[in-house]
Amino acid sequence: PYTPPPPFNLRTCFMTSSLILLCWQPPNSSLPITYYIFREGALSVPTTNTTSLWMSQISPQTTYRFVIRAQNLYGYSAMS
């Protein structure tokens, strides 16, 4: 019951042919977020309580599907 709700408003904030900056809004939670877990396919990259993430080695004309979830000391949110 105390797991966080999912982060929201995941979007691209900056992009080049090989680099992307992803940004999102933190979930509305009364408990602190330990970290966010990003996933694109099999790739999972934890970040430490920030609301943005640089992803490198992005290929042009390739479709990516990024999802994110938050974690606090009680567990994980659903994927956004």
Side-chain angles (χ1 to χ4, degrees):
Y2 297 109
T3 58
F8 61 99
N9 196 20
L10 176 60
R11 65 199 181 281
T12 301
C13 291
F14 180 80
M15 184 172 53
T16 68
S17 62
S18 63
L19 186 69
I20 189 170
L21 175 62
L22 299 167
C23 303
W24 61 91
Q25 296 295 120
N28 297 320
S29 175
S30 59
L31 298 171
I33 301 301
T34 308
Y35 61 87
Y36 295 97
I37 298 172
F38 244 90
R39 176 185 260 154
E40 194 295 310
L43 176 66
S44 186
V45 182
T47 64
T48 56
N49 203 14
T50 64
T51 55
S52 64
L53 177 69
W54 287 99
M55 298 288 288
S56 60
Q57 300 176 340
I58 300 295
S59 299
Q61 300 181 14
T62 303
T63 301
Y64 294 92
R65 183 177 178 268
F66 294 101
V67 292
I68 184 174
R69 67 183 187 176
Q71 181 180 9
N72 65 16
L73 61 102
Y74 293 102
Y76 300 102
S77 72
M79 292 286 192
S80 64

